Amino acid sequence: VYNFAANYFQEKVIPGHETRSVEALCWAAGDRLFGAGLSGDITEYDLALLCVARSVDGCGGPIWSMAANSSGTQLAIGCEDGSVKLFQVVPGGIQFERNLDRRKGRILCLSWHPSDTHIAAGSIDFLRVFDVCSGNSQPERIMVNYHVLKVRRECIVWSIAFLSSGTVITSDSFGRVQFWDWQRGTLMESHTVSTSAVLSLAVSEKEDSIIVGTSTGATYQFQLLPVKMGSLEKRWVRTKPFQHHTHDVRAVAHSSTALISGGLDAQLVIRPLMEKMQKKGYDAALRKFTFPHRRLVSCARKARLLLFQFSQHLELWRLGSTDETGKDGEVLPLCRMPEHLVQLKSKGPEHIYCSCVSPCGSWVAYSTASRFHLYRVQYEGDGISIKKVPKVPKLLLPAYQLQFSSDSGSLFVASARGSVHVLQLLEPGGCKHLHTFRPPSGSPEAVYLLASSADGHWLAAVGGDWAIHIYDLKCFKHHCTVPTYSCAVTALAIHPVTNNLVIAYSDQQLFEFSIPEKQYTAWSRMVQNCGLHRVWLERDSPITHITFNPKNPSHILLHDIYMFCVLDKSLPLPDNSALLMNQSTLKQLPETARQRQLHAFKICKKFQPLLFADLLDENCLVMVERPIMDIKTQLPLPIQQKKFGT
């Protein structure tokens, strides 16, 4: 769930389920989120606990489509058996209301008329419009392939929209966007936009613009424009094509200022409409989101291990090593190759939500929606053994974030309603519940970020309400709350020497809070007074990890998907006239020019996309990349398109 007000930050993630496909999502009754899929169930999600709140059988087989009426009081679902069913949204769930007129053929898409009196439904070769009061379709059906000569294959209506004027818009497998007069059952306009299917369709709130997504990865905008200057007659015109995806565009949305598309290539693209922008700035930038805004890699610094989290298994790797030294940019030969130690498979259909490995490498923990697992890992020469810890306390569920203490003696488990459980890890393989921290505010939101101090004294926790609570681990008390900021926290860490808490927010601001003194530091106040560089603030990827170099207390190491940065607090902040250069570019400048560019931000863009970066010791930094091409090779082949000159 992305929060547009918080700079498009991926604020909430609800873990998946192998048997629960999601074919449709919709908002109803304000901020209640519903989903439906091929399992045949209608599911409501709890956005505070990040789990399934309740599930109801649709009683029509697999559900292909779902839509809520404009008031959010009713849900309509389209089923495999050809039925359209209405459910009433009530406090605490939904109730079956009635079936509409049923005919053969699965209902692939639905759309309510803004007045809530009619529902348009798309199927294979035809569309129907239902009267909500009587439940009958008027007319019986509208054949969408009637206007295609010598049709020998079925025409699938993939998406449909119902305008307040009574016009029904459809997109189909023949690559057409068509506009229908549903009362007469006649075709008003037809636009062929692709040689392959048009899969998705969305209409703007003012109903003067639509966006469609195709199976070639292209998206198109249509606008309702006057036939000529000053004329009252208007026609739909295809105005803007965009090619930001490589595969099927399965979902599109139309906000007041942007076109939003999601593709099979795992990218979410936000394309601003420049004519809706008051001025050129940060909001007018194209944005692409491919990777989650949370950590899926954890590091055992002392043991030099990395734990990778996948949807249904974990992989533990030992890093390679070298005895050689070299110049900057050289690739050194390894004396010991990276070693895959363990693959830990999760039992059951639930996806893994969070995981962590202890700094010593002897403990591994992970959690799904209903299970928490803790393992003891032992290394015997070149061999390895792993044993599950029995009798883990039941109160740990659900677990949203896991963090081991720096001495590997404790495990912190972020749970529901802002609570954090503290477990003591026992040799040779056990655990004991010590305490549960609860925020004084009594927030219902789950904790999604944790940070512990190196001396084992402090623990910082961030919940969905964006409040940062500091807890004292020596006396198990709430110490203080960091002043609330207007944006989501994307990363935080406690300095091992000063016990200052460094916080990164979704609007790219950085703060430093002194935990012992319960106030912002002088450096943090200076940053807010002077302001960060304009280019830094205009980045569209949030900081996902912060760490420190204990040998140099003035250095803060942080990264996002596209850059790694060493922030040197001992140097002055750059003003907007300075250049935030990549270090490789800076090295090509003469010495005098480099001195003029001397400021606090040392940026490296050599490693992309960067999922994880951490300091193993004072001389060794580990980086984890996830090349886009590796992801695309696992996807089905895109539709081949003939290119000019080939």
Side-chain angles (χ1 to χ4, degrees), residues 111-123:
S111 179
W112 288 76
H113 188 273
S115 66
D116 297 342
T117 57
H118 293 81
I119 298 174
S123 188

Side-chain angles (χ1 to χ4, degrees), residues 441-561:
S441 60
S443 170
E445 298 284 341
V447 171
Y448 69 94
L449 280 178
L450 291 174
S452 61
S453 63
D455 59 7
H457 195 166
W458 308 107
L459 177 69
V462 186
D465 57 354
W466 304 345
I468 306 174
H469 297 283
I470 311 295
Y471 300 103
D472 190 326
L473 294 172
K474 298 298 183 182
C475 57
F476 292 122
K477 289 184 178 180
H478 182 268
H479 178 67
C480 66
T481 301
V482 178
T484 304
Y485 188 61
S486 59
C487 276
V489 181
T490 65
L492 77 166
I494 300 175
H495 198 287
V497 177
T498 63
N499 275 339
N500 290 337
L501 178 67
V502 177
I503 312 161
Y505 288 95
S506 59
D507 63 351
Q508 312 299 353
Q509 291 288 349
L510 297 173
F511 287 79
E512 187 181 49
F513 184 83
S514 173
I515 294 177
E517 297 177 7
K518 301 182 182 181
Q519 63 179 0
Y520 289 118
T521 64
W523 180 82
S524 182
R525 298 180 190 278
M526 182 268 293
V527 169
Q528 295 309 306
N529 289 332
C530 299
L532 294 172
H533 196 280
R534 174 180 53 83
V535 174
W536 177 270
L537 296 176
E538 289 179 356
R539 293 179 304 108
D540 60 3
S541 182
I543 298 295
T544 54
H545 186 61
I546 301 173
T547 189
F548 307 95
N549 184 359
K551 297 294 183 181
N552 196 331
S554 65
H555 283 185
I556 302 173
L557 285 64
L558 32 81
H559 77 87
D560 62 15
I561 293 293

